[in-house]
Amino acid sequence: MLRFQCEAFALRMGGKGTCLGNIMVRELITVENIDRSFGAVDVLRDVNLLVKDGDRIGIVGHNGAGKTTLLNTISEQSQDAGDIKLAPGIRLAYLTQIRDIDSDKTIEEELSRKGRQFQELEDEIAAIEARMIEPEFYDGDWESVMERYSELQQMLASSGGGNVAAIAKGILKTLGLDKHPMEMQVSKLSGGEKAKLALARQLVGLAGVDVMFLDEPTNHLDIQTTEWLEKFLKEFKGAQLIVSHDRFFLDQVCTRIVEVDNLRAWTWKGNYSQFVKQKAESEAALGDLIKNTEKKIQSTMGALAQMKRANKYDKSISAKHKMIERMQQEVKALRARVPKQRKSLIMTLDAVDKASMDVLELTDACMTFEGLKKPILDNQDLEVRKGDRIGIVGGNGQGKTTLLKLINGELKLTSGKRDLAPGCAIGYFHQDHATLDFNLSPVEQIGLLRPDFQYGDIRAALGRFQFSSEQVETKLSQLSGGERARVALLKLLLEDNNLLLMDEPTNHLDMASKDTLEETLKSYTGSLITVSHDRWFLDQVVNRIWELNDGIVKVYYGNYTDYIRAKKGLPPLAEGEISDI
């Protein structure tokens, strides 16, 4: 009886479902054997995926693997081959990687614009209204159509479609961006503030949405806003498909991971950390199986050779030949399952020798800007010692990048003293790659920095940073953000330094490149000060946190997790202990 009730519920809601106890789990999207290509370039091949109620699926893969293409193909049903089935009547919403922001509008005007989540409702309402003005409309079954029209109007009202601005303002206040007047031009907001504005508007009207597609939702968000978004998504009742490079975010939110690699999509249970562990175990088991099968082939071939030398020709020889042939086919099939190893980033970073432990001191440091009510630094004393790896955290607009520029000497303190120790050599990674000349190619940029390098040396260095022969001669202005980030990192590695200042160094890097950067920085013998919203990166690299808030810098010892635990009054983690925060 319970089973029948569940199935009846599924039919009412539209689509198939699975009955788990007394809970009905609808199958919302079924992706079967889809292909997608652009011209002669294949991007996806034979991809399968099932999306059910409550799924929070993280989509990961290297840059260019086809993650966003997979998201768009499913949401738009734009596959070249295969089938994508959406449950009848489901509503979709899409938070885009490229923030849909009109900088010429005021904050008020921008908040009033409706997101894509209202498109299907308004299109269907408009279609019915167009039919209603035709006289022949009332000759048919117009009553059922009018019932649908009333239902759509109610859905639009209940999801906030008639009052987008007011609801978005409430979200904006929660995100801490209500300090600006509503008539302020969007163009005057920082990148992080624009991201918050877009997020507030796009999150309106999700109450009736069944599936939400999110493409890099944490880009340009500060940590506090990202944590708020994590809580929001965990409480959201619908299914989610999320493309993200934010490993900490994927750990907090996702219940499944889909890895896009070599045109295919592989599904793993659990969050990102569980995916990494399962994948390593799976690849190790696959490698062992291949080795063991190859050993059996060699052993069987040896036994066969002995039989032939002893002139023992019987039925067993034929059986062994067939066994060898079968095992060779098995090895071939197993090798096809081994993930292709992409060319990895190769980084080595050596610090210039420095005799003393002293690196930098800020004494009674004050920094103010005209028009800002609160100072960036308010009479602060800060010290950096050899071997310190410091992460600067704080909300958007608190002045984290400004603090880096003060340390670098680009900006001068309003009052106080900056004392850089003798022998201290600074290397600076700008998040906008301002140290690069975008009119140069990678070869020309590195040649300018290191005139002692031969052309072959430059090509070899760029090759270790995953650059092809075509890319090394392409102007930086025509390269992607990730490619420019790799040039900026290589430039940093080739300079003489012992104090690294890094502003959002993991932006635009894929996960494998982030892993390599983290391992390199952990072995760096100089000092590091980094601004980052990447909590996984901060956990791996830093041994101290500077929290900047309203001009005050509070120092916490340990990595990001230790910092969060300290703020909650918890002790540091013991060695090997896993955090549950």
Side-chain angles (χ1 to χ4, degrees):
M1 181 64 181
L2 181 60
R3 179 81 183 178
F4 175 79
Q5 289 173 340
C6 283
E7 289 172 351
F9 174 79
L11 291 172
R12 288 201 307 273
M13 295 300 291
K16 296 187 296 182
T18 303
C19 194
L20 300 175
N22 62 348
I23 300 173
M24 182 62 220
V25 180
R26 283 188 302 160
E27 295 178 1
L28 302 174
I29 301 177
T30 305
V31 177
E32 295 178 337
N33 308 115
I34 67 165
D35 296 347
R36 187 75 194 273
S37 60
F38 297 96
V41 180
D42 291 335
V43 180
L44 301 171
R45 185 187 303 151
D46 196 27
V47 170
N48 295 275
L49 182 64
L50 178 62
V51 182
K52 297 182 181 180
D53 259 333
D55 278 343
R56 297 197 297 270
I57 301 170
I59 302 174
V60 303
H62 63 82
N63 288 342
K67 304 181 295 296
T68 297
T69 298
L70 176 59
L71 217 59
N72 291 336
T73 301
I74 295 173
S75 68
E76 298 166 2
Q77 295 180 274
S78 55
Q79 71 275 17
D80 298 321
D83 198 13
I84 299 175
K85 300 173 184 175
L86 305 183
I90 67 169
R91 288 185 60 206
L92 311 179
Y94 201 116
L95 271 69
T96 58
Q97 179 179 164
I98 300 170
R99 302 292 185 185
D100 179 20
I101 284 286
D102 188 342
S103 294
D104 294 330
K105 292 185 180 295
T106 65
I107 294 176
E108 178 86 44
E109 291 169 336
E110 184 60 25
L111 287 178
S112 299
R113 289 204 301 131
K114 292 179 181 177
R116 181 173 167 179
Q117 57 269 36
F118 296 107
Q119 182 178 329
E120 294 88 353
L121 286 177
E122 294 186 332
D123 286 351
E124 192 174 350
I125 288 171
I128 293 175
E129 289 174 343
R131 291 174 60 191
M132 288 165 59
I133 63 174
E134 300 293 335
E136 58 268 23
F137 170 75
Y138 299 96
D139 296 336
D141 182 20
W142 62 271
E143 290 180 338
S144 63
V145 178
M146 291 306 296
E147 285 179 10
R148 176 60 178 166
Y149 181 73
S150 177
E151 180 185 333
L152 290 169
Q153 292 281 15
Q154 288 175 7
M155 289 172 65
L156 187 63
S158 63
S159 60
N163 196 17
V164 171
I167 299 171
K169 284 177 187 177
I171 297 174
L172 212 57
K173 185 175 182 180
T174 304
L175 300 181
L177 199 60
D178 58 333
K179 59 184 178 181
H180 297 304
M182 289 294 105
E183 61 273 14
M184 181 178 175
Q185 288 286 122
V186 172
S187 58
K188 294 182 179 178
L189 298 176
S190 70
E193 288 172 332
K194 287 178 183 176
K196 285 184 179 182
L197 180 62
L199 183 65
R201 184 174 58 78
Q202 290 178 324
L203 291 182
V204 176
L206 297 182
V209 165
D210 299 284
V211 184
M212 182 160 39
F213 298 83
L214 300 99
D215 196 358
E216 299 290 359
T218 63
N219 272 7
H220 305 295
L221 297 181
D222 57 30
I223 291 174
Q224 292 90 334
T225 307
T226 299
E227 289 173 344
W228 177 88
L229 179 62
E230 288 167 354
K231 184 175 182 291
F232 178 91
L233 294 177
K234 284 190 280 189
E235 293 173 354
F236 177 71
K237 301 302 181 185
Q240 301 161 45
L241 283 86
I242 307 166
V243 170
S244 180
H245 286 113
D246 188 329
R247 296 158 292 180
F248 206 101
F249 173 81
L250 292 170
D251 258 5
Q252 294 295 312
V253 173
C254 294
T255 56
R256 273 201 286 158
I257 297 293
V258 170
E259 182 187 28
V260 182
D261 183 50
N262 193 29
L263 309 182
R264 304 290 294 277
W266 313 94
T267 301
W268 305 80
K269 292 181 180 179
N271 62 14
Y272 181 77
S273 291
Q274 291 164 331
F275 148 70
V276 171
K277 183 180 179 182
Q278 291 174 67
K279 184 182 178 184
E281 290 172 349
S282 176
E283 290 181 359
L286 183 60
D288 290 342
L289 186 55
I290 291 171
K291 287 179 183 178
N292 291 336
T293 306
E294 287 176 334
K295 285 181 181 178
K296 287 180 183 178
I297 292 172
Q298 293 300 320
S299 175
T300 307
M301 290 177 71
L304 191 61
Q306 284 183 341
M307 292 175 70
K308 288 181 177 180
R309 284 196 296 271
N311 290 318
K312 291 182 179 180
Y313 290 93
D314 55 27
K315 292 181 180 179
S316 65
I317 285 184
S318 176
K320 280 183 167 52
H321 274 296
K322 290 179 180 178
M323 186 187 300
I324 290 169
E325 185 177 327
R326 187 171 61 251
M327 287 190 293
Q328 287 174 333
Q329 290 174 346
E330 184 182 340
V331 168
K332 185 177 179 181
L334 290 171
R335 288 193 180 280
R337 288 168 51 192
V338 175
K340 286 188 177 180
Q341 295 298 317
R342 296 179 66 247
K343 188 176 181 182
S344 60
L345 203 65
I346 302 173
M347 297 178 66
T348 54
L349 184 58
D350 298 317
V352 177
D353 286 340
K354 186 177 182 302
S356 73
M357 294 296 292
D358 299 322
V359 176
L360 172 80
E361 281 190 19
L362 296 180
T363 307
D364 297 329
C366 290
M367 182 67 189
T368 58
F369 284 111
E370 188 177 345
L372 287 183
K373 294 179 181 178
K374 295 181 180 179
I376 299 297
L377 285 179
D378 188 4
N379 206 44
Q380 296 299 290
D381 295 329
L382 296 170
E383 180 185 56
V384 181
R385 304 274 286 170
K386 185 177 180 180
D388 284 349
R389 296 198 299 272
I390 298 165
I392 304 176
V393 302
N396 286 336
Q398 288 293 335
K400 302 182 295 294
T401 295
T402 299
L403 179 53
L404 276 189
K405 290 180 178 179
L406 286 169
I407 292 170
N408 192 41
E410 290 180 53
L411 297 175
K412 302 297 182 185
L413 290 169
T414 306
S415 64
K417 184 180 179 184
R418 167 186 174 271
D419 186 12
L420 191 67
C424 184
I426 295 176
Y428 197 171
F429 180 93
H430 288 257
Q431 65 170 310
D432 57 2
H433 312 139
T435 58
L436 303 179
D437 184 341
F438 283 21
N439 292 315
L440 300 178
S441 68
V443 165
E444 292 168 335
Q445 181 73 74
I446 301 306
L448 193 64
L449 173 67
R450 295 297 297 267
D452 56 315
F453 273 27
Q454 299 295 319
Y455 180 78
D457 298 328
I458 297 173
R459 284 292 304 272
L462 289 166
R464 290 195 296 272
F465 272 62
Q466 302 172 328
F467 283 95
S468 67
S469 56
E470 181 180 341
Q471 289 171 324
V472 298
E473 302 292 353
T474 303
K475 282 190 177 183
L476 290 167
S477 59
Q478 297 172 9
L479 295 179
S480 70
E483 289 159 351
R484 287 199 291 266
R486 297 204 304 271
V487 175
L489 282 172
L490 176 57
K491 182 175 179 292
L492 196 67
L493 302 187
L494 294 175
E495 293 171 343
D496 292 333
N497 56 63
N498 47 36
L499 172 59
L500 291 181
L501 307 180
M502 306 187 82
D503 195 358
E504 300 292 358
T506 61
N507 278 4
H508 307 293
L509 296 181
D510 59 27
M511 290 173 178
S513 298
K514 289 180 184 181
D515 289 339
T516 302
L517 176 62
E518 286 159 3
E519 290 303 315
T520 302
L521 292 176
K522 282 193 283 187
S523 63
Y524 180 63
T525 57
S527 304
L528 166 70
I529 306 174
T530 180
V531 170
S532 182
H533 294 141
D534 187 334
R535 293 162 293 173
W536 187 291
F537 171 79
L538 293 173
D539 255 355
Q540 296 298 313
V541 171
V542 308
N543 54 27
R544 199 166 302 179
I545 295 288
W546 285 357
E547 182 190 59
L548 178 58
N549 185 42
D550 290 341
I552 305 299
V553 178
K554 191 169 182 180
V555 179
Y556 294 83
Y557 292 90
N559 62 11
Y560 181 79
T561 295
D562 295 327
Y563 154 69
I564 291 298
R565 291 179 67 85
K567 285 179 71 70
K568 292 183 176 182
L570 299 172
L573 291 173
E575 188 173 349
E577 186 181 357
I578 298 173
S579 175
D580 58 357
I581 63 170

